[in-house]
């Protein structure tokens, strides 16, 4: 397969205002086809042995259900824009990055997206062993954010409930809601309860026609580095 370097995408030049973020924290989400999950993990282990990765946090996910863009997602967390630039510069210049590139020579980079963290109603996203990503297009970001907070107040979450705003790509989805729990069963049992609840009916009524679900993908967390 064609080998392309990932993690080199620039921050999007075209920005969509979709709500106030928490201290400009964001995720860089990279879609990559790996031939082997084990080999991808081994290469990431080697990368994080380098001192250049000290303080960084990256999570590897393998896709399980839905129509994901690639077999895996590599998600890197950043505190701010300077953090992004400084960490990328250190990584690209490191021996660990060279070892990573060699170990994943048969991978295929598909694309990257920039996701701004709007709200966390539970634990950080990387703590969940399983993740359902609801891709949302909304024409009223403020109303959607408020309705999601109200729903969480009423029924809670399985451990993780994160709202992120999309700042790159074709923007078919303006936001994503990340629902995470210990494992596949924990997440889907929560969704069973949620869909049958009054809290969800009230949520749907509040957002009305301003909300459209454009996709639902599910991922298993392989490992997190820098946790």
């Amino acid at each position: 397969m064609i080998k392309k370097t990932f993690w080199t995408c620039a921050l999007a030049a075209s920005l969509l205002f979709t709500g106030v973020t928490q201290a400009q924290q964001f995720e860089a989400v990279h879609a990559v086809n790996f031939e082997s999950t084990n080999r991808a993990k081994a290469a990431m282990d080697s990368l994080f042995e380098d001192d250049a990765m000290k303080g960084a946090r990256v999570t590897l996910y393998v896709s399980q259900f839905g129509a994901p863009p690639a077999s895996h997602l590599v998600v890197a967390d950043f505190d701010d824009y300077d953090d992004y630039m400084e960490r990328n510069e250190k990584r690209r210049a490191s021996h660990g990055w060279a070892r990573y590139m060699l170990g994943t020579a048969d991978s295929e980079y598909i694309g990257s997206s920039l996701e701004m963290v709007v709200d966390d109603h539970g634990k950080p996203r990387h703590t969940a062993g399983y993740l359902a990503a609801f891709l949302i297009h909304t024409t009223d970001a403020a109303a959607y954010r408020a309705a999601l907070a109200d729903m969480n107040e009423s029924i809670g979450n399985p451990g993780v409930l994160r709202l992120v705003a999309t700042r790159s790509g074709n923007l078919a989805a303006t936001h994503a809601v990340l629902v995470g729990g210990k494992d596949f069963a924990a997440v889907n049992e929560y969704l069973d309860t949620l869909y049958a609840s009054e809290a969800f009916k009230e949520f749907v009524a509040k957002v009305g026609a301003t909300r459209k679900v454009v996709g639902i993908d599910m991922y298993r967390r392989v490992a997190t580095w820098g946790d």
Side-chain angles (χ1 to χ4, degrees):
M1 286 187 284
I2 299 173
K3 171 67 185 190
K4 299 179 181 178
T5 303
F6 70 96
W7 292 4
T8 57
C9 62
L11 297 183
S14 176
L15 303 182
L16 176 68
F17 179 75
T18 49
V20 180
T21 63
Q22 299 177 344
Q24 296 182 329
Q25 295 177 3
F26 63 90
E27 305 173 343
V29 182
H30 309 285
V32 186
N33 283 326
F34 289 114
E35 286 290 329
S36 165
T37 297
N38 288 339
R39 286 174 61 187
K41 181 181 180 300
M44 196 71 74
D45 287 338
S46 178
L47 170 61
F48 268 80
E49 290 173 359
D50 198 297
D51 287 342
M53 299 303 293
K54 185 177 181 180
R57 178 184 292 130
V58 175
T59 304
L60 174 65
Y61 296 93
V62 60
S63 63
Q64 300 229 292
F65 294 98
S71 65
H72 295 75
L73 293 182
V74 178
V75 184
D77 298 320
F78 298 97
D79 293 332
D80 54 42
Y81 304 131
D82 288 338
D83 185 41
Y84 172 87
M85 293 187 293
E86 290 169 5
R87 292 198 180 283
N88 279 351
E89 184 176 357
K90 289 180 180 179
R91 172 183 50 78
R92 287 192 294 264
S94 71
H95 292 296
W97 179 242
R99 292 194 300 269
Y100 172 86
M101 295 292 285
L102 183 62
T104 59
D106 57 356
S107 67
E108 181 186 19
Y109 167 73
I110 303 301
S112 300
S113 66
L114 175 62
E115 306 291 338
M116 310 304 293
V117 178
V118 178
D119 285 319
D120 272 325
H121 297 289
K123 298 177 182 178
R125 182 257 311 139
H126 72 274
T127 63
Y130 203 85
L131 203 65
F134 292 78
L135 308 180
I136 306 297
H137 185 279
T138 178
T139 57
D140 192 336
Y144 187 88
R145 180 185 186 185
L148 187 67
D150 289 344
M151 187 181 75
N152 180 74
E153 184 70 22
S154 296
I155 200 169
N157 59 75
V160 170
L161 181 61
R162 169 173 285 191
L163 174 64
V164 299
T166 300
R167 279 199 175 177
S168 65
N170 60 21
L171 296 183
T174 60
H175 293 73
V177 178
L178 309 177
V179 178
K182 178 182 178 182
D183 52 26
F184 169 84
V187 171
N188 282 281
E189 286 169 359
Y190 167 80
L191 294 178
D192 290 342
T193 300
L194 174 67
Y195 290 148
S197 70
E198 288 299 320
F200 185 70
K201 292 179 183 178
E202 292 174 3
F203 168 78
V204 172
K206 288 177 182 177
V207 297
T210 66
R211 159 191 170 267
K212 181 180 180 181
V213 180
V214 298
I216 303 174
D217 299 327
M218 294 187 179
Y219 299 92
R220 177 177 61 83
R221 183 174 67 91
V222 177
T224 296
W225 294 265
D227 184 10

